[in-house]
């Protein structure tokens, strides 16, 4: 379906997967390796353009985040990918370059870079390394990029 750098997003029987490919000039054919088996409800490819080569994957109406192995992140075990966020979230939003992914689970929000917990009733985008938040009990404050909270007085 889609071609990004050395990866193909493929679809079969309404399920999606990812192949890594390399053109073999001697045999004039594509050599492929399965990165993700064709078993996911959807794979959001627009994130191939981000520096991290991240993909949001969907299965059974839940979302997770996958990091593809590239030259920059070769520490990712022997697999061609690393599941950086489990497929347990109601939604994962890409907010733009230099922004972490916004996570939603059970009506609460969190960020992928600070913690995988979703504990905020309201959570805004980061601006100058701080994001405004509201807790379920109504308390408000600021969250820094490392996950430290600063409650309003």
């Amino acid at each position: 379906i889609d071609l990004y750098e050395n990866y193909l997003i493929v679809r079969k029987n309404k399920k999606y997967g990812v192949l890594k490919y390399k053109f073999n000039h001697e045999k004039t054919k594509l050599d492929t390796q399965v990165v993700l088996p064709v078993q996911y409800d959807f794979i959001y490819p627009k994130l191939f353009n981000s520096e991290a080569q991240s993909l949001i994957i969907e299965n059974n109406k839940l979302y997770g985040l996958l990091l593809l192995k590239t030259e920059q992140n070769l520490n990712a075990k022997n697999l061609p990918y690393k599941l950086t966020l489990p497929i347990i979230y109601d939604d994962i939003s890409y907010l733009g370059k230099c922004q972490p992914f916004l996570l939603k689970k059970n009506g609460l929000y969190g960020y992928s870079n600070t913690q995988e917990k979703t504990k905020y009733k309201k959570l805004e985008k980061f601006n100058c390394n701080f994001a405004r938040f509201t807790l379920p009990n109504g308390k408000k404050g600021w969250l820094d990029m490392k996950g430290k909270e600063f409650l309003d007085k």
Side-chain angles (χ1 to χ4, degrees), residues 127-144:
N127 185 8
C128 297
N129 295 317
F130 288 92
R132 191 83 175 130
F133 69 80
T134 304
L135 292 168
N137 64 9
K139 291 185 180 181
K140 296 182 179 187
W142 295 92
L143 180 70
D144 74 8

Side-chain angles (χ1 to χ4, degrees), residues 85-102:
L85 290 174
I87 306 171
I88 60 169
Y89 296 97
D90 300 328
D91 192 25
I92 297 178
S93 299
Y94 176 66
L95 301 178
K97 193 172 183 176
C98 300
Q99 291 280 329
F101 290 93
L102 180 64

Side-chain angles (χ1 to χ4, degrees), residues 18 49 107 127 150:
V18 176
N49 296 327
N127 185 8
F150 301 90

